mmCIF file of all heavy atoms in Angstrom:
data_model
loop_
_atom_site.group_PDB
_atom_site.id
_atom_site.type_symbol
_atom_site.label_atom_id
_atom_site.label_comp_id
_atom_site.label_asym_id
_atom_site.label_seq_id
_atom_site.Cartn_x
_atom_site.Cartn_y
_atom_site.Cartn_z
ATOM 1 N N ALA A 182 22.571 27.819 48.900
ATOM 2 C CA ALA A 182 21.909 27.559 50.194
ATOM 3 C C ALA A 182 20.383 27.460 49.985
ATOM 4 O O ALA A 182 19.729 26.565 50.553
ATOM 5 C CB ALA A 182 21.986 28.798 51.078
ATOM 6 N N ASP A 214 8.231 28.962 45.007
ATOM 7 C CA ASP A 214 7.037 29.157 44.116
ATOM 8 C C ASP A 214 7.261 28.479 42.724
ATOM 9 O O ASP A 214 6.334 27.957 42.134
ATOM 10 C CB ASP A 214 6.854 30.652 43.938
ATOM 11 C CG ASP A 214 6.250 31.348 45.076
ATOM 12 O OD1 ASP A 214 5.563 30.601 45.870
ATOM 13 O OD2 ASP A 214 6.468 32.615 45.246
ATOM 14 N N ALA A 215 8.537 28.547 42.295
ATOM 15 C CA ALA A 215 8.840 28.043 40.950
ATOM 16 C C ALA A 215 9.067 26.574 40.910
ATOM 17 O O ALA A 215 8.998 25.952 39.851
ATOM 18 C CB ALA A 215 10.169 28.744 40.420
ATOM 19 N N ASP A 218 7.416 20.604 42.122
ATOM 20 C CA ASP A 218 7.016 19.584 43.055
ATOM 21 C C ASP A 218 6.425 20.157 44.364
ATOM 22 O O ASP A 218 6.080 19.410 45.271
ATOM 23 C CB ASP A 218 8.186 18.686 43.371
ATOM 24 C CG ASP A 218 8.694 18.004 42.104
ATOM 25 O OD1 ASP A 218 7.970 17.670 41.154
ATOM 26 O OD2 ASP A 218 9.990 17.899 42.008
ATOM 27 N N SER A 251 10.307 35.875 63.828
ATOM 28 C CA SER A 251 9.271 36.617 64.561
ATOM 29 C C SER A 251 7.944 35.925 64.378
ATOM 30 O O SER A 251 7.069 36.048 65.200
ATOM 31 C CB SER A 251 9.169 38.053 63.989
ATOM 32 O OG SER A 251 8.997 38.014 62.533
ATOM 33 N N MET A 273 8.820 23.689 61.271
ATOM 34 C CA MET A 273 9.150 25.088 60.877
ATOM 35 C C MET A 273 10.569 25.324 60.410
ATOM 36 O O MET A 273 11.499 24.675 60.995
ATOM 37 C CB MET A 273 8.954 25.952 62.153
ATOM 38 C CG MET A 273 7.460 26.004 62.593
ATOM 39 S SD MET A 273 7.222 26.755 64.184
ATOM 40 C CE MET A 273 7.591 25.347 65.278
ATOM 41 N N GLU A 280 20.153 37.599 65.819
ATOM 42 C CA GLU A 280 21.363 36.973 66.498
ATOM 43 C C GLU A 280 22.545 37.967 66.446
ATOM 44 O O GLU A 280 22.499 39.033 65.822
ATOM 45 C CB GLU A 280 21.702 35.663 65.847
ATOM 46 C CG GLU A 280 22.142 35.759 64.371
ATOM 47 C CD GLU A 280 22.559 34.427 63.733
ATOM 48 O OE1 GLU A 280 22.902 33.502 64.604
ATOM 49 O OE2 GLU A 280 22.578 34.298 62.550
ATOM 50 N N LEU A 281 23.571 37.625 67.136
ATOM 51 C CA LEU A 281 24.749 38.480 67.122
ATOM 52 C C LEU A 281 25.156 38.724 65.660
ATOM 53 O O LEU A 281 25.304 37.816 64.800
ATOM 54 C CB LEU A 281 25.932 37.774 67.853
ATOM 55 C CG LEU A 281 25.698 37.537 69.376
ATOM 56 C CD1 LEU A 281 26.988 37.132 70.099
ATOM 57 C CD2 LEU A 281 25.154 38.830 70.035
ATOM 58 N N GLY A 282 25.443 40.063 65.477
ATOM 59 C CA GLY A 282 25.744 40.435 63.986
ATOM 60 C C GLY A 282 24.560 41.229 63.515
ATOM 61 O O GLY A 282 24.662 41.966 62.432
ATOM 62 N N ASN A 285 19.915 45.792 62.868
ATOM 63 C CA ASN A 285 18.591 46.410 62.805
ATOM 64 C C ASN A 285 17.938 46.365 64.255
ATOM 65 O O ASN A 285 17.742 45.319 64.780
ATOM 66 C CB ASN A 285 17.563 45.717 61.845
ATOM 67 C CG ASN A 285 18.000 45.919 60.373
ATOM 68 O OD1 ASN A 285 17.955 46.929 59.910
ATOM 69 N ND2 ASN A 285 18.479 44.806 59.795
ATOM 70 N N TRP A 287 14.997 46.883 65.173
ATOM 71 C CA TRP A 287 13.646 46.213 65.278
ATOM 72 C C TRP A 287 13.731 44.708 65.233
ATOM 73 O O TRP A 287 12.710 44.025 65.642
ATOM 74 C CB TRP A 287 12.737 46.654 64.084
ATOM 75 C CG TRP A 287 13.445 46.569 62.682
ATOM 76 C CD1 TRP A 287 14.025 47.582 62.040
ATOM 77 C CD2 TRP A 287 13.572 45.383 61.985
ATOM 78 N NE1 TRP A 287 14.543 47.106 60.890
ATOM 79 C CE2 TRP A 287 14.250 45.790 60.769
ATOM 80 C CE3 TRP A 287 13.169 44.058 62.112
ATOM 81 C CZ2 TRP A 287 14.498 44.838 59.771
ATOM 82 C CZ3 TRP A 287 13.517 43.152 61.060
ATOM 83 C CH2 TRP A 287 14.277 43.602 59.949
ATOM 84 N N ALA A 288 14.911 44.172 64.938
ATOM 85 C CA ALA A 288 15.004 42.720 64.843
ATOM 86 C C ALA A 288 15.535 42.153 66.178
ATOM 87 O O ALA A 288 15.525 40.903 66.331
ATOM 88 C CB ALA A 288 15.942 42.343 63.712
ATOM 89 N N VAL A 309 21.313 26.310 62.266
ATOM 90 C CA VAL A 309 22.248 25.948 61.212
ATOM 91 C C VAL A 309 22.919 27.119 60.642
ATOM 92 O O VAL A 309 22.231 28.056 60.116
ATOM 93 C CB VAL A 309 21.593 25.083 60.180
ATOM 94 C CG1 VAL A 309 22.600 24.702 59.089
ATOM 95 C CG2 VAL A 309 20.914 23.865 60.763
ATOM 96 N N SER A 324 12.042 13.610 60.613
ATOM 97 C CA SER A 324 12.161 12.289 61.253
ATOM 98 C C SER A 324 11.654 12.355 62.655
ATOM 99 O O SER A 324 10.836 11.595 63.120
ATOM 100 C CB SER A 324 13.595 11.794 61.226
ATOM 101 O OG SER A 324 14.009 11.529 59.900
ATOM 102 N N TRP A 325 12.172 13.431 63.394
ATOM 103 C CA TRP A 325 11.778 13.584 64.814
ATOM 104 C C TRP A 325 10.300 13.800 64.925
ATOM 105 O O TRP A 325 9.631 13.238 65.785
ATOM 106 C CB TRP A 325 12.618 14.678 65.357
ATOM 107 C CG TRP A 325 12.442 14.721 66.901
ATOM 108 C CD1 TRP A 325 13.238 13.995 67.834
ATOM 109 C CD2 TRP A 325 11.492 15.395 67.698
ATOM 110 N NE1 TRP A 325 12.700 14.182 69.055
ATOM 111 C CE2 TRP A 325 11.704 15.113 68.997
ATOM 112 C CE3 TRP A 325 10.426 16.304 67.296
ATOM 113 C CZ2 TRP A 325 10.896 15.649 70.083
ATOM 114 C CZ3 TRP A 325 9.652 16.862 68.301
ATOM 115 C CH2 TRP A 325 9.885 16.512 69.628
ATOM 116 N N SER A 329 7.613 11.689 67.063
ATOM 117 C CA SER A 329 7.049 12.302 68.274
ATOM 118 C C SER A 329 5.634 12.863 68.079
ATOM 119 O O SER A 329 4.880 13.051 69.105
ATOM 120 C CB SER A 329 7.954 13.422 68.781
ATOM 121 O OG SER A 329 7.851 14.517 67.778
ATOM 122 N N SER A 333 8.939 20.629 65.481
ATOM 123 C CA SER A 333 10.321 20.797 65.498
ATOM 124 C C SER A 333 10.657 22.010 64.567
ATOM 125 O O SER A 333 9.790 22.434 63.854
ATOM 126 C CB SER A 333 11.088 19.528 65.075
ATOM 127 O OG SER A 333 10.711 19.263 63.694
ATOM 128 N N GLY A 339 23.652 32.979 60.672
ATOM 129 C CA GLY A 339 25.011 33.303 60.275
ATOM 130 C C GLY A 339 25.117 33.564 58.821
ATOM 131 O O GLY A 339 24.200 34.197 58.207
#
Side-chain angles (χ1 to χ4, degrees):
Chain A
D214 288 334
D218 300 324
S251 57
M273 294 168 276
E280 64 177 337
L281 294 188
N285 292 291
W287 49 263
V309 178
S324 293
W325 191 89
S329 64
S333 62

